[in-house]
Structures are given as C-alpha cells and as structure tokens.
Amino acid sequence: MQFEVWAPQAGRVTLRCDGVARALERDPERAGWWRGEADARDGSRYGFALDDGPVRPDPRSRRQPDGPDGLSAVVDHERYEWRAQWQGRPLPGAVLYEMHVGTYTREGTLDAAAERLGHLAELGVTHVQLMPLCPFPGTHGWGYEGVSLWAVHEPYGGPEALKRFVDRAHELGLGVVLDVVHNHFGPSGNYLPVFGPYLTDRHHTPWGAAVNLDAPGSDEVRAFLIGSALAWLRDYRLDGLRLDAVHALVDTRALHFLEELSTAVDALAAEEDRPLFLVAESDLNDPRLITSRDKGGLGLHAQWNDDFHHALHTTLTGESQGYYADFARAPLAGLAKTLTGGYFHDGTYSSFRERHHGRPLDRTRVAGHRLLGYSQTHDQVGNRAQGDRLSALVSPGLLACAATLTLTAPFTPMLFMGEEWAAGTPWQFFTDHTDPELADAVRRGRRREFAAHGWKEEDVPDPQDPATRDRSCLDWSEPEREPHTRVLAWYRQLLALRHEQPDLTDPDLADTKVAYDEERRWIAFRRGDVLVAVNLAPEPAALSLGVPHARVLAAWEPVETPGADGVVHVPGESGVVLLQE
C-alpha cells in the first residue's frame, strides 16, 4: 500500500512498517511530501523516522493502539459492514445531547454507551454529541488534549467501536455529532512540530503557540485539519462536528479557515446527499460565524449561545461571580433579551471584560435554530471547582423551570448527559497524564486557579485521582427513584411537545414575544399559538396571557385551564405550556 507524510524540513524520511525499514522518496508533485510503497494490511504497525531520528507515529494516523506515543496502525475502513440505511438528520428541529463516553457508563467505552442509546431515543433527543475521541495520554480524561486528529482513543474501543456506536445510533434514528479540537494540540505525545510547522509563534493562545493557519506552511496545516474533519464525517458516517473554541483560531488570511472548512463540509454533504453541519463554540458574539457565505459570513451552521446559559443560570441561582456579573443586575431582562435577540452582548458594555462586546444579530438573516440553547454543558459544570451540577444548586421545581425554558426557547436545545433526570453525581475535571511532571503541574494549576476564588486546596478534587473520574460517572439507578423519575418524565413530555408543535421549532426569532417581572420572578413568552409561563418565585403567580382561550399542554404542577379573562395561575417554582385555541 501507499504511505505518505508531509515533512518539509527533513532531508531523509524512513518508513518502518511491521519491523521492516524502507526509505521514502520525495513527491515530485507536492513540495515537502514523501511517499513510498510497503506491504501492509489492516492492523499493520508503522511509523516514520526523520533524518535517522526515532520512529514517530503518523500525524495522520487512523489508529494508535498503544496511545499517542506508540506506533500507528493501518485501518482499512472498507472492512466494516454498515447495517443502518441512514439518510441523515438535519439541524433544524434537532435536539442535541452532549455525552462524555468515559463517564456516560461506568465501563467508559463506546460499546457500553451504545447499549444505553435506547434511553436517548425514548427521551426524544435527535443527535448525540460526543465529546472529543482523539487519543490522549492514559485511560480517562475530558479529551481536549488529543494529538492524533484522525484516530479514536483506544481505551474507548478504537475505530471499530465508533462505527458500531454510530451504526446503533442510526438504527435508532439518532444522528451523531463529534466535538473536535483544532485550536491546539495536546502537550503529551505531540510530535507534529517534528514533522513540520504545525504551530506558529506569530500568535499565542492560552495553550501556547497557535496552530499555524496563516504563516508559511499553513496551506498544509489547514489541509490537515480539513482532511481530518472530512474523514470523521465520511469514514464514520457522522452527521456533524462541534468545533471547540473557534475564537482561538487566529487567522489573518483573507479566506478564513472556518469559511474554507464550511465550504468543504457543504461540498461533502452534496456529494453524499445527506445533511452535514458544523456547530461552533465561540465567545465572540459575532453573527458572521453563522451567516451564510453568500451573505458575507463564514457559513457555519450553528454556534453555542453562552449568553442564554449565563442569563438562565444567574436567574436560577443568583450567582454573580465571574462572567455572571454581567447578567446579575437584571437576570430576567437578560433572559428576555436572549430569547428575542439571540445575544445578550450585542455591542453592549461587559463589566466582566471591561469593554464593549459583540455585535447585533440580524433576526431577518439568522434563524433561531443556528443558536444552541442549554442550561448545562460539560464546561459550565466541569469547570466549577467541585463539578456540581445545577441539580446540586436548585430545587427540582427550578430544574423543571430550566427545562421548560430550554426546551421551548427558539433555539436548538442541547442537554448535558444526566440532566434529564437531575443526576446527583457531579461531573468533575479529571486527567490521567502519564508524565508525572505534567500531572503535577495540572494538579497544582487547578488548585491555584480556584484558590484565587476562595476555595481551600483540599476542597478541589485532584484531577489525577481515579476517584475523581469515578465520582463523575452517571448512576443509572437514579432514574428509577424520586425525584429523578419525575424530572425525567417532565423532560420526555417537553421533548414530545417540541416535536408535536410546529411553533416550537419555528426558526423565526422575531416571532418570539416576551413579558417578565424581575421583582416577582416570572417570565412568559409566546411562539405562534404556543404560550409558555414560568414562575421562579416560591409563591404562586397570576399571569395574564392576553388570550381568551388556551389549553394546558403540560405543567410541572397542576394548573387549571385559564378562564375567559386569560389569566393563568402558575404555582411557585413551576412552568406551564399552553396552546391558544
């Protein structure tokens, strides 16, 4: 078979495959590339030596059986026989479910997670969003320190296990989205700089030198990242990608990397005749990210909307530290603004940043489904000192209010695994670094970070302690007992309504009408003929809907049908969904 590698600075490149060494030749048609033939089959171990140096794994490795530092392995993607006949599932009307494979089950594998996919199909979500799967050191971790961007973490089951997972999901009617990290490479097992200028010191990020998107050699680096993205979508039949922290992708070229990526993904979708989409994580509040390319945007299909989360979280908990300070003065007003305008910061002053932030989103050009709304994510839970979920902070009634707002808002909803039953397990930051110095640096850095916010060192879980990961695994016995059973039933009911009522998936942001009372702590909004009222106060509230006839579709606590005066009486810490008749 043919082997090739980009190594522009090397004077000599040797392939070692199944113990046999073979010198590669320069590719006369592609500068910096080396190529050669060797006998190999699925599973053959190989690597490259540059200028007689040590054998390193392939930067485009499809499998790392022994982890990031080991030899690569050949993967024959044609060997897998797909079972599901899958035509794809588009983003409009979707409900995403963020899952970390290593803690979704105690076993922490893709096969074990696949056995639990029936729960999600019954719940009513449409897509599973997997946190990063690229190889990283050790067995357990969040996955954001991956280095082999084309491979699947071996302790999760490797490439074949991912295909089995996707196949099972598709059989159940679930799409699969993968979280990918293009903004930095992990520090351990990272040999990319040995092969070429994958990094540049022209720009700097929180992780050090930036990924090279605009310096000399950046054509090949961009092709490396785009090739990886397309490989996930093509070889594993994934339905979309979530792009981590795109604000850290520093690119000064006229054609931005994200525009080039979205163009390539749209072309693949046309070629395969199925919908594919890209969802960005961004704190820029820049609508150009999700504006189509023909209208001057970058053409990404959606983005996470942290403003909605922050306004909702502050409303529910009263927390005002860090970035929550911007929302704490009038949280319901902030929530109302996001429900109608998408962003809270749309050119307004941010006290947290000490500057103005964002720009307005044109509701006539950007559909509501292009923003993801959520009450919890891996970031917002796991980056708390003790990884405490919303269920540890507020009552079941307020959790029901959060679900009501998230699942009826004009955004694409996303759930974080376990929130649908108010999981009592935390989700903490954990690592399994095999380098003792790096492990100690992460441990000390974590404790130092939270010490600055008043936490005692002993109260911050040790990321390297296996017990930290174990505490973070979901307890699948919880849904069988209260209050978890009731919360789960509420999520199922709201998701069923979302699929049954077309007004709840109407993409027109401008069609959402909101009223609220900051002091009495209630908020109500209308989407077409669907009306939603949420009372966050402990005492009941009488709210005028402004319509004479409405039928109750769902209520956390019993609610009587409004009378001719259009007034609905909502119990304390409860939400209700009604339909105008």
Side-chain angles (χ1 to χ4, degrees), residues 36-381:
E37 298 277 342
D39 291 333
R41 62 190 184 283
D42 185 82
S44 290
R45 304 292 185 90
Y46 74 99
F48 300 106
L50 277 55
D51 298 323
D52 300 324
V55 179
R56 302 299 191 193
D58 182 359
R60 287 168 168 76
S61 169
R62 268 63 169 183
R63 186 180 174 200
Q64 290 296 117
D66 302 312
D69 292 300
L71 289 176
S72 300
V74 173
V75 173
D76 180 2
H77 284 297
E78 299 301 319
R79 292 184 62 197
Y80 186 83
E81 296 183 8
W82 293 92
R83 302 184 307 271
Q85 299 298 314
W86 182 246
Q87 301 302 314
R89 213 163 169 171
L91 182 65
V95 179
L96 276 59
Y97 184 94
E98 189 182 25
M99 174 193 296
H100 178 262
V101 169
T103 50
Y104 186 63
T105 66
R106 182 68 57 177
E107 296 87 346
T109 65
L110 283 157
D111 285 331
E115 293 179 4
R116 296 281 187 182
L117 286 175
H119 163 77
L120 300 184
E122 183 181 352
L123 177 63
V125 302
T126 64
H127 293 75
V128 185
Q129 180 177 295
L130 299 173
M131 288 177 61
L133 298 179
C134 293
F136 54 85
T139 301
H140 299 298
W142 280 20
Y144 291 93
E145 300 299 335
V147 291
S148 297
L149 301 193
W150 304 56
V152 179
H153 190 50
E154 202 70 17
Y156 287 166
E160 292 288 298
L162 177 57
K163 291 174 182 176
R164 291 191 293 269
F165 180 96
V166 173
D167 229 355
R168 180 57 181 152
H170 287 172
E171 286 178 331
L172 292 168
L174 298 168
V176 182
V177 180
L178 178 64
D179 194 340
V180 296
V181 183
H182 292 162
N183 52 58
H184 75 289
F185 307 119
S188 182
N190 178 15
Y191 302 106
L192 290 175
V194 174
F195 286 88
Y198 284 88
L199 299 173
T200 175
D201 57 8
R202 284 189 177 185
H203 314 294
H204 291 274
T205 72
W207 308 282
V211 174
N212 179 15
L213 299 176
D214 58 4
S218 59
D219 285 356
E220 291 292 353
V221 178
R222 292 160 77 106
F224 169 79
L225 297 174
I226 292 172
S228 166
L230 298 181
W232 291 115
L233 298 168
R234 182 184 57 246
D235 298 338
Y236 293 96
R237 299 193 177 185
L238 298 181
D239 300 277
L241 301 174
R242 182 260 190 188
L243 310 176
D244 182 63
V246 299
H247 47 268
L249 295 170
V250 187
D251 183 8
T252 60
R253 290 168 61 161
L255 176 61
H256 196 281
F257 166 74
L258 291 175
E259 183 179 352
E260 190 175 353
L261 175 61
S262 73
T263 301
V265 169
D266 286 348
L268 180 62
E271 177 186 327
E272 300 215 339
D273 192 25
R274 62 187 177 96
L276 302 172
F277 56 84
L278 298 170
V279 179
E281 179 199 18
S282 172
D283 71 355
L284 299 176
N285 282 24
D286 186 350
R288 287 174 294 190
L289 276 176
I290 51 176
T291 298
S292 61
R293 294 186 300 275
D294 61 356
K295 294 180 180 177
L298 299 183
L300 300 183
H301 306 91
Q303 71 154 98
W304 282 24
N305 187 7
D306 272 352
D307 279 10
F308 174 77
H309 168 272
H310 297 347
L312 178 56
H313 185 91
T314 306
T315 298
L316 294 167
T317 67
E319 291 185 352
S320 59
Q321 72 276 18
Y323 42 66
Y324 294 133
D326 285 344
F327 303 83
R329 184 181 61 82
L332 281 169
L335 190 56
K337 184 177 180 180
T338 64
L339 285 169
T340 55
Y343 299 144
F344 174 77
H345 284 303
D346 53 6
T348 57
Y349 184 80
S350 166
S351 60
F352 169 67
R353 297 173 178 85
E354 297 184 342
R355 61 171 175 80
H356 287 76
H357 184 65
R359 64 185 298 162
L361 183 150
D362 185 347
R363 297 184 298 173
T364 67
R365 299 173 66 182
V366 178
H369 75 261
R370 294 188 181 277
L371 296 173
L372 266 62
Y374 38 82
S375 65
Q376 300 178 71
T377 70
H378 80 273
D379 267 332
Q380 302 302 336
V381 175

Side-chain angles (χ1 to χ4, degrees), residues 14-33:
T14 303
L15 165 71
R16 182 170 290 275
C17 181
D18 289 337
V20 178
R22 177 184 296 271
L24 299 185
E25 298 180 349
R26 293 183 186 274
D27 188 329
E29 299 179 358
R30 294 187 297 168
W33 281 86

Side-chain angles (χ1 to χ4, degrees), residues 386-552:
Q386 295 186 322
D388 40 348
R389 295 170 177 265
L390 198 56
S391 57
L393 305 175
V394 301
S395 67
L398 289 180
L399 290 178
C401 292
T404 305
L405 290 164
T406 302
L407 296 177
T408 61
F411 313 127
T412 295
M414 185 180 72
L415 312 180
F416 178 55
M417 62 175 198
E419 84 164 73
E420 72 272 21
W421 72 69
T425 51
W427 202 74
Q428 300 176 335
F429 179 70
F430 52 89
T431 56
D432 192 18
H433 290 298
T434 53
D435 180 342
E437 291 188 10
L438 180 57
D440 189 55
V442 170
R443 179 186 297 113
R444 287 186 285 105
R446 186 78 176 174
R447 288 174 171 168
R448 184 168 55 249
E449 175 187 355
F450 286 102
H453 297 285
W455 288 85
K456 296 179 182 178
E457 280 198 13
E458 58 269 23
D459 292 335
V460 180
D462 179 358
Q464 286 286 120
D465 185 348
T468 304
R469 176 263 172 183
D470 293 345
R471 281 191 299 271
S472 301
C473 293
L474 290 178
D475 178 356
W476 283 90
S477 70
E478 285 185 335
E480 301 171 5
R481 57 183 184 270
E482 295 295 351
H484 310 287
T485 303
R486 185 183 178 197
V487 173
L488 178 57
W490 182 240
Y491 270 83
R492 286 175 176 162
Q493 187 176 11
L494 289 173
L495 283 166
L497 282 180
R498 188 170 185 89
H499 296 308
E500 293 166 3
Q501 297 295 330
D503 286 334
L504 289 179
T505 52
D506 183 349
D508 186 0
L509 276 171
D511 191 48
T512 302
K513 310 294 190 248
V514 182
Y516 65 92
D517 189 311
E518 201 80 58
E519 185 176 344
R520 295 173 59 202
R521 286 181 54 76
W522 61 260
I523 185 168
F525 58 91
R526 178 173 181 164
R527 303 188 59 205
D529 290 332
V530 176
L531 301 101
V532 179
V534 172
N535 179 17
L536 299 149
E539 57 277 344
L543 310 182
S544 177
L545 301 177
V547 297
H549 303 289
R551 173 167 55 93
V552 175

